[in-house]
């Protein structure tokens, strides 16, 4: 039975950011193997985010693409509240990361890479990283209640 790491979608960006620093070759290899596992989760989250932007954003009349204004997607003012609610729900969903047997052996090193991040973090990010590290301690089979979703 495969094992999984479960974190919130909202934690994924900080997890990636906390591991994005120069390191020695062996640690870098371990990090890169773990990041490879995360690729599908990141792509899926980004796809869902873009679906929300497409649904609630203001679109160009010719191209039907969402309009970007000042570096941000422009939302339909009448739909901002609904977008914010749906986006918050998306970010609160569990991100289920399959942990391969080879990766399971490297969990200690992955946690160490996160612990050694040179990022200067505020209190909220520190709390979030603590939650991520705690989730690594709960790696196991997918809980029955999560399978039903």
């Amino acid at each position: 039975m495969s094992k999984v790491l479960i974190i919130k979608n909202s934690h994924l960006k900080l997890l990636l950011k906390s591991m994005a620093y120069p390191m020695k070759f062996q640690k870098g290899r371990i990090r890169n193997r773990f990041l490879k596992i995360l690729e599908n989760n990141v792509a899926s989250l980004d796809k869902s985010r873009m679906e929300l932007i497409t649904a609630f954003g203001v679109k160009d009349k010719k191209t039907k693409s969402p309009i970007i204004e000042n570096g941000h997607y422009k939302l339909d003012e009448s739909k901002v509240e609904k977008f914010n609610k749906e986006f918050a729900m998306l970010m609160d969903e569990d991100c289920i990361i399959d942990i391969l047997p080879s990766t399971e052996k490297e969990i200690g090193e992955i946690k160490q890479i996160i612990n050694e991040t040179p990022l200067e973090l505020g209190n909220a990010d520190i709390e979030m990283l603590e939650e991520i590290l705690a989730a690594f301690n709960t790696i196991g089979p997918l809980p029955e209640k999560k399978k039903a979703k």
Side-chain angles (χ1 to χ4, degrees):
M1 179 175 280
S2 68
K3 296 185 177 181
V4 296
L5 167 65
I6 301 173
I7 63 173
K8 295 290 181 192
N9 280 337
S10 59
H11 291 49
L12 201 51
K13 183 177 178 181
L14 181 61
L15 175 59
L16 296 173
K17 190 175 170 183
S18 71
M19 298 178 81
Y21 62 92
M23 60 189 69
K24 293 193 176 193
F25 177 71
Q26 185 59 35
K27 277 189 177 183
R29 288 180 66 212
I30 291 168
R31 175 200 52 201
N32 289 352
R33 282 194 293 267
F34 182 66
L35 294 179
K36 190 80 172 150
I37 294 169
L38 295 179
E39 279 181 356
N40 289 337
N41 299 81
V42 172
S44 176
L45 179 59
D46 195 49
K47 181 178 182 237
S48 296
R49 182 183 67 87
M50 286 307 299
E51 287 171 358
L52 287 176
I53 289 169
T54 300
F56 296 104
V58 176
K59 294 172 193 74
D60 182 275
K61 288 180 177 25
K62 291 180 184 175
T63 65
K64 304 291 185 214
S65 301
I67 295 174
I68 298 174
E69 212 172 66
N70 298 323
H72 300 284
Y73 288 99
K74 185 174 181 180
L75 296 176
D76 182 326
E77 288 186 27
S78 67
K79 299 177 181 178
V80 170
E81 190 174 317
K82 183 142 175 65
F83 170 83
N84 288 337
K85 182 179 175 185
E86 295 216 11
F87 185 73
M89 286 174 27
L90 172 66
M91 297 309 283
D92 195 46
E93 287 178 9
D94 286 337
C95 175
I96 299 172
I97 303 161
D98 291 320
I99 300 296
L100 307 170
S102 58
T103 307
E104 190 175 2
K105 296 173 194 163
E106 299 173 336
I107 293 301
E109 287 93 343
I110 294 167
K111 288 170 60 177
Q112 185 179 10
I113 291 167
I114 296 167
N115 270 318
E116 293 175 355
T117 186
L119 290 177
E120 292 188 19
L121 304 168
N123 289 339
D125 285 343
I126 289 170
E127 265 185 49
M128 203 180 296
L129 268 185
E130 286 178 349
E131 290 173 15
I132 292 168
L133 289 168
F136 276 92
N137 295 330
T138 63
I139 290 174
L142 185 63
E144 287 297 320
K145 64 182 179 184
K146 303 283 183 197
K147 289 179 183 176
K149 287 186 177 181

